[in-house]
Amino acid sequence: MAATRLELNLMRLLSRCEALAAERRDPEEWRLEKYVAALEDMLRELKKQASKPAPELLNEYSRKVDFLKGLLEAEKLSSSTEKALANQFLAPGRTPTTTKERTPATKTVHLQTKARCTGKMRSELLGTVCFGAAASLLLFYRLSLVAFGGCLAPDEKQSAVELDAVLQHHQDMQEKLAEEMLSLARSLKNNTLAAQNVIKQDNQTLSHSLRMADQNFEKLKDESDRLEQHAKKSVNWLLWIMLIVVCFIFISMILFIRIFPKLK
């Protein structure tokens, strides 16, 4: 079935949104959010049409629109760990939107977003390590200032106060990052356990289905053998009955000829 005008407009706008999502955007960029909202409206209208596409194609459109919507929501999060966790559960499209694409654009956007979030987390971790080294130096300097505090000028004391504030700020950042990492680890652990339970239940269901299929196959085979034997028996009885009828007719004709001679 040929695509309707609404479906063609949806595909064009979806391709444009995928291209915008692949670019590095400014925080004040508003076009993608408006485009995704328009995509949702167009998708709802497409589902209401009488000549709507196949259910598989509609599900693929919905999957891509939900991915773009989730991507925008993940970008609004504050910390990079939360962004990485949100991007981890996004589901990109399975098929290309246009014929020019070799791989789905949403899948490429998903990989790029995950790489950016991972890079930011790595930068924060490396920055935390550098902050820790700087904090150690600052602590040593601070202890030196405390030891020789009586010999310091007012400007040097002011510098010591500022260094204390910087040290406290770095320590707070380290604690916050450690808490975020622990929260991320707990979430990943819970999600892994949940996925493991689901896979285990699916394996049990599949094993039960396979056993039932084997049992049904054996029963079907037994019934087929019985039916074949029954068909063979029926054919044998029918053949004997036909032979008996033919012999009876032949003998009856002979007797009829003997009893009633030919008229002269």
Side-chain angles (χ1 to χ4, degrees), residues 16 45 47 134 141 172 179 207 241:
R16 178 58 180 163
E45 291 296 329
K47 290 180 179 180
Y141 183 65
D172 294 340
E179 291 176 357
S207 300
I241 291 173

Side-chain angles (χ1 to χ4, degrees), residues 125-139 167 170 174:
L125 288 174
L126 292 176
T128 304
V129 174
C130 295
F131 288 155
S136 300
L137 294 175
L138 290 172
L139 181 60
L167 180 62
H170 292 328
Q174 286 180 342

Side-chain angles (χ1 to χ4, degrees), residues 41 53 56 63 102 232:
D41 296 336
E56 295 80 7
R63 186 183 182 91
R102 290 187 177 180
K232 289 181 179 179

Side-chain angles (χ1 to χ4, degrees), residues 126-214:
L126 292 176
T128 304
V129 174
C130 295
F131 288 155
S136 300
L137 294 175
L138 290 172
L139 181 60
F140 178 75
Y141 183 65
R142 178 179 163 185
L143 293 175
S144 301
L145 292 176
V146 172
F148 300 99
C151 303
L152 293 176
D155 294 338
E156 294 179 349
K157 291 182 179 180
Q158 181 67 25
S159 299
V161 174
E162 293 176 356
L163 289 175
D164 289 339
V166 172
L167 180 62
Q168 185 65 34
H169 174 69
H170 292 328
Q171 187 175 358
D172 294 340
M173 288 184 63
Q174 286 180 342
E175 292 177 355
K176 182 180 179 181
L177 184 59
E179 291 176 357
E180 291 178 355
M181 293 296 292
L182 288 175
S183 177
L184 179 61
R186 293 193 193 98
S187 300
L188 290 175
K189 181 180 178 181
N190 294 331
N191 293 327
T192 303
L193 292 176
Q196 184 178 1
N197 293 330
V198 171
I199 293 173
K200 186 177 180 180
Q201 293 176 0
D202 292 342
N203 288 334
Q204 292 177 355
T205 305
L206 182 60
S207 300
H208 180 69
S209 301
L210 290 175
R211 286 196 299 270
M212 293 296 294
D214 292 338

Side-chain angles (χ1 to χ4, degrees), residues 31 33 55 64 101 104 114 118 175 205 207 220 224 237 243:
R31 290 181 299 170
E33 188 171 357
K64 292 179 179 180
E101 300 175 3
K114 288 173 65 176
T118 305
E175 292 177 355
T205 305
S207 300
L220 182 61
S224 299
W237 279 108
L243 288 175

Side-chain angles (χ1 to χ4, degrees), residues 241-252:
I241 291 173
M242 291 178 64
L243 288 175
I244 293 172
V245 170
V246 170
C247 293
F248 177 77
I249 293 173
F250 179 74
I251 294 172
S252 298

Side-chain angles (χ1 to χ4, degrees), residues 3-242:
T4 61
R5 183 184 298 273
L6 180 60
E7 185 179 358
L8 292 175
N9 293 334
L10 175 67
M11 292 172 62
R12 293 192 187 100
L13 186 57
L14 183 58
S15 178
R16 178 58 180 163
C17 289
E18 291 172 349
L20 284 175
E23 299 174 356
R24 289 185 177 272
R25 303 182 306 280
D26 295 331
E28 299 178 356
E29 176 66 39
W30 55 270
R31 290 181 299 170
L32 183 59
E33 188 171 357
K34 296 296 182 182
Y35 289 169
V36 172
L39 278 175
E40 291 180 335
D41 296 336
M42 295 171 68
L43 185 59
R44 281 194 294 268
E45 291 296 329
L46 186 62
K47 290 180 179 180
K48 294 178 182 178
Q49 284 188 346
S51 59
K52 58 185 179 181
E56 295 80 7
L57 194 55
L58 280 176
N59 292 334
E60 184 66 17
Y61 290 153
S62 300
R63 186 183 182 91
K64 292 179 179 180
V65 173
D66 292 339
F67 170 79
L68 293 172
K69 186 177 178 181
L71 187 66
L72 290 174
E73 292 177 354
E75 290 180 353
K76 295 178 182 178
L77 298 175
S78 57
S79 64
S80 58
T81 52
E82 292 177 351
K83 291 180 180 180
L85 182 60
N87 280 288
Q88 189 71 25
F89 296 102
L90 292 178
R94 297 189 179 94
T95 58
T97 305
T98 61
T99 55
K100 297 179 181 179
E101 300 175 3
R102 290 187 177 180
T103 58
T106 50
K107 187 175 182 180
T108 305
V109 172
H110 191 211
L111 294 175
Q112 292 176 352
T113 307
K114 288 173 65 176
R116 283 198 292 265
C117 292
T118 305
K120 288 181 180 179
M121 290 179 62
R122 187 182 295 110
S123 300
E124 289 183 0
L125 288 174
L126 292 176
T128 304
V129 174
C130 295
F131 288 155
S136 300
L137 294 175
L138 290 172
L139 181 60
F140 178 75
Y141 183 65
R142 178 179 163 185
L143 293 175
S144 301
L145 292 176
V146 172
F148 300 99
C151 303
L152 293 176
D155 294 338
E156 294 179 349
K157 291 182 179 180
Q158 181 67 25
S159 299
V161 174
E162 293 176 356
L163 289 175
D164 289 339
V166 172
L167 180 62
Q168 185 65 34
H169 174 69
H170 292 328
Q171 187 175 358
D172 294 340
M173 288 184 63
Q174 286 180 342
E175 292 177 355
K176 182 180 179 181
L177 184 59
E179 291 176 357
E180 291 178 355
M181 293 296 292
L182 288 175
S183 177
L184 179 61
R186 293 193 193 98
S187 300
L188 290 175
K189 181 180 178 181
N190 294 331
N191 293 327
T192 303
L193 292 176
Q196 184 178 1
N197 293 330
V198 171
I199 293 173
K200 186 177 180 180
Q201 293 176 0
D202 292 342
N203 288 334
Q204 292 177 355
T205 305
L206 182 60
S207 300
H208 180 69
S209 301
L210 290 175
R211 286 196 299 270
M212 293 296 294
D214 292 338
Q215 292 176 2
N216 293 332
F217 179 75
E218 292 296 333
K219 291 180 180 178
L220 182 61
K221 185 178 180 180
D222 294 339
E223 293 297 329
S224 299
D225 294 338
R226 290 176 58 187
L227 182 62
E228 185 178 357
Q229 293 176 1
H230 182 70
K232 289 181 179 179
K233 290 180 180 178
S234 300
V235 172
N236 292 334
W237 279 108
L238 184 62
L239 180 62
W240 282 108
I241 291 173
M242 291 178 64

